[in-house]
Amino acid sequence: MLNAWHLPVAPFIKRQQDKLIIKLWLRGDNLPQRVTLRSEVDNEEMAVPMRRSSQAPAPDVVQWRAEIKLHEGQARRRYGFKLLWDDRQLWFAPKGFSAIPPAKLELFAYDCPDEGPQWVTDQIFYQIFPDRFARGAARGAQQDKVYHHHAAGHDIILRDWDQPLTAEAGGSTFYGGDLNGICEKLPYLKALGVTALYLNPVFTAPSVHKYDTQDYREVDPQFGGNDALLRLRHATQRAGMRLILDGVFNHSGDTHAWFDRHQCGDHGACHHATSPWRDRYSFSADGRALDWLGYASLPKLDYRSSSLQADIYGDEDSIVRHWLKAPWNMDGWRLDVVHMLGEAGGAKNNLQHVVAITQAAKAARPDAFVFGEHFGDARQWLQQDAEDAAMNYRGFTFPLWGFLANTDISYDPQNIDAQTCMAWMEDYRAGLSHQQQLRMFNQLDSHDTARFKSLLGRDVARLPLAVVWLFSWPGVPCIYYGDEVGLDGDNDPMCRKPFPWNEHQQDGALLALYQRLAALRKVTPALRCGACQVLYAEGDVVIFLRVLGAERVLVAINRGDAAEVTLADSPLLAVSGWQRREGEGQLAERTLTLAAISATVWTTH
């Protein structure tokens, strides 16, 4: 039987001046007589002969070696391996062996140089829905002002923090969380291990969720206004935390002065065909504005408008650039439904405008982190480098839901086994470069989904398994506020409950698990930057390895009954010893003894 090993990290990759040295390990009875590295220069396939090395990582393993010149070609180095015998050939790529050449976008991919934001992989993000996280001690007069919410057809509702959330008036119910409240809770977040914040929209808007923007250049008075955001920015900088804003550029709210449905001004596009902003929206033949997915309060922005392009991303002080510059100095943008942004009421020329938004952000701040919200497949945008990363629903969240919670995004039943789960996740990763994988934005849930704890239902004992997975799979972990203390909730609005600051309402054991895993990730480079090798995926058990140089992290997830698994022999497991860092599993030689419904993590000494 032939086995092959390669991952786009050391010890398989090494940069040496203007060369990238690439190694492949092979073991078996009938080894190939020749091996060719399939590389490319400016999209043209090149065959680079590999040399058999006299050095071997293990007594029965043969190492092949080739070099790629770094002064030519594009930064994304795509490559695979062609194994040759006298009468046949075999290919090896991220998805394993193949009798035919792998698709170009399913080859190994390594960015050299890597021009993405280098700081991202070291972060632990925390997503905050501002109205529901924490209420500041001091309140301004405008923060508890009651006003008529036109889209809801009634006045907004103000509730005390401990009043239960109901399904009624979801977009009009306010609990008074604000930016000062976040400032006051930074010590809590620091103790949790959080190093970066992603805030749902903070700009002026009539709803509680603020995705119906009324003014892109003013922070909502309910959250404390611009002064409060600047205080938070300064506080996060002192705490060594990054801060990401939510950019809602696919649509505005119907109360925005550009549109002005309720005629607060004299020139809104909704009622005036001669409005200076008329071309920023699309209208049907009968004069009706085209909206986003049937929400009349969210008129779709039309990027055929050159003035809209200038205001959103083109001008030196465009909205995208403004908040990344002094005095704000935000660290990047999360782009809401960015795949739907475009022209003429739809997504025409979408990629062109997404690229322009990202380039504008980089022009204002070269290390800005720009990632998109994609519930579907985000690889079309990532492979074109239109974004640094994406919310990893398709490549992480949904496979994990199917395996642990037996549900899909439509909340329909989806009972998949370990092999199917890993095939799904590995297929998705195969389309991304190693560095892109490390920057993918991994979450168990968000403000747009039910809480994972609620999805689990009677299988809630599996929750710690998902938490371990979140911190150990390639990508940057993001905690949705309250998940760490066991906050539950079905779909919107119930997934947006106020944070339970009373410790008697918190799951202390779960919080401690989050803290331990955050601390482990901080001191373990392989968890932040290492490649990933799935070692076992059958039935209820998934076992994978993170690799970086000589460092290894072994992770075993068992959703079912107690099990014993013997791993196939691999030179990647040839380490001097293992230290169990989380969980109760036992490891002897290559045999793992796993408790029922458990997750265990081992690292090398």
Side-chain angles (χ1 to χ4, degrees), residues 569-582:
D569 187 20
S570 168
L572 293 176
L573 295 173
V575 299
S576 59
W578 295 98
Q579 179 181 359
R580 188 178 64 196
R581 304 296 296 271
E582 186 61 50

Side-chain angles (χ1 to χ4, degrees), residues 369-385:
F369 182 36
V370 182
F371 62 100
E373 177 201 25
H374 301 270
F375 273 82
D377 192 339
R379 289 175 293 184
Q380 173 185 345
W381 290 265
L382 297 171
Q383 288 161 353
Q384 296 294 319
D385 290 313

Side-chain angles (χ1 to χ4, degrees), residues 374-376 390-404 407 414 416 421-422 424-426 428-429 432 437 440-445 452 465-478 544 546 557:
H374 301 270
F375 273 82
M391 297 183 79
N392 202 11
Y393 287 113
R394 187 58 65 96
F396 176 78
T397 310
F398 296 160
L400 191 143
W401 280 18
F403 182 66
L404 293 179
T407 188
Q414 184 179 45
I416 60 176
C421 180
M422 285 297 94
W424 183 348
M425 296 174 86
E426 290 294 272
Y428 200 82
R429 285 202 308 128
L432 304 175
Q437 292 177 35
M440 290 298 279
F441 202 77
N442 293 343
Q443 292 181 275
L444 300 180
D445 46 32
F452 187 68
L465 283 58
V467 179
V468 169
W469 214 328
L470 175 66
F471 281 87
S472 55
W473 192 253
V476 57
C478 180
F544 58 89
R546 299 295 301 275
I557 308 287

Side-chain angles (χ1 to χ4, degrees), residues 64-373:
W64 292 78
R65 169 183 168 135
E67 299 170 355
I68 294 177
K69 297 176 182 178
L70 294 178
H71 67 269
E72 59 185 13
Q74 300 177 66
R76 182 150 298 142
R77 314 288 169 171
R78 299 189 186 276
Y79 61 93
F81 303 96
K82 185 180 183 181
L83 284 57
L84 291 159
W85 291 261
D86 285 339
D87 58 349
R88 63 190 177 97
Q89 63 178 252
L90 197 61
W91 291 80
F92 183 68
K95 295 170 72 172
F97 287 115
S98 172
I100 61 174
K104 173 179 178 175
L105 297 179
E106 293 185 350
L107 294 168
F108 292 105
Y110 184 80
D111 296 334
C112 191
D114 173 21
E115 297 178 351
Q118 301 298 303
W119 56 269
V120 173
T121 57
D122 289 333
Q123 307 308 308
I124 294 171
F125 274 87
Y126 193 86
Q127 179 189 347
I128 294 177
F129 194 83
D131 182 69
R132 307 291 165 80
F133 180 62
R135 184 180 173 99
R139 302 282 290 176
Q142 293 297 309
Q143 292 190 255
D144 293 313
K145 179 180 178 181
V146 175
Y147 57 86
H148 189 73
H149 186 192
H150 288 280
H154 56 73
D155 287 351
I156 66 166
I157 299 168
L158 302 181
R159 285 189 175 157
D160 292 333
W161 200 259
D162 294 326
Q163 284 185 278
L165 180 66
T166 68
E168 298 178 13
S172 306
T173 300
F174 290 79
Y175 281 84
D178 58 18
L179 301 180
N180 283 342
I182 299 173
C183 280
E184 293 167 14
K185 298 300 183 182
L186 289 183
Y188 163 81
L189 295 172
K190 193 85 170 176
L192 177 58
V194 168
T195 61
L197 304 182
Y198 149 50
L199 306 183
N200 286 111
V202 297
F203 303 120
T204 301
S207 71
V208 69
H209 53 72
K210 308 298 178 193
Y211 284 97
D212 48 347
T213 313
Q214 183 172 315
D215 190 334
Y216 289 102
R217 296 183 183 272
E218 294 293 329
V219 175
D220 200 294
Q222 290 168 303
F223 295 158
N226 287 8
D227 290 345
L229 182 60
L230 195 57
R231 279 194 296 274
L232 177 60
R233 171 72 287 202
H234 291 159
T236 52
Q237 288 173 325
R238 288 192 298 270
M241 289 185 180
R242 302 282 182 162
L243 186 57
I244 300 288
L245 297 181
D246 205 328
V248 188
F249 305 133
N250 170 70
H251 51 266
S252 74
D254 64 356
T255 60
H256 197 292
W258 298 343
F259 193 79
D260 193 21
R261 181 186 300 279
H262 308 294
Q263 302 188 69
C264 296
D266 298 323
H267 305 292
C270 181
H271 301 288
H272 300 280
T274 59
S275 168
W277 304 301
R278 182 77 174 188
D279 69 344
R280 298 187 178 196
Y281 300 92
S282 301
F283 293 85
S284 62
D286 61 1
R288 183 181 60 86
L290 303 186
D291 55 42
W292 180 66
L293 296 183
Y295 293 99
S297 62
L298 304 176
K300 191 98 159 55
L301 292 169
D302 187 344
Y303 280 83
R304 289 179 297 183
S305 167
S306 58
S307 67
L308 176 67
Q309 294 175 28
D311 262 2
I312 296 293
Y313 60 75
D315 284 352
E316 278 299 307
D317 195 40
S318 62
I319 294 157
V320 167
R321 302 178 195 225
H322 173 79
W323 295 101
L324 302 183
K325 295 179 178 180
W328 311 103
N329 297 314
M330 298 299 167
D331 293 293
W333 288 101
R334 177 263 195 188
L335 302 178
D336 181 61
V337 291
V338 68
H339 52 285
M340 301 185 74
L341 177 152
E343 303 174 5
K348 183 179 180 181
N349 291 327
N350 169 269
L351 198 60
Q352 166 190 326
H353 297 293
V354 178
V355 167
I357 288 171
T358 299
Q359 289 177 341
K362 304 290 186 181
R365 181 171 186 143
D367 70 342
F369 182 36
V370 182
F371 62 100
E373 177 201 25

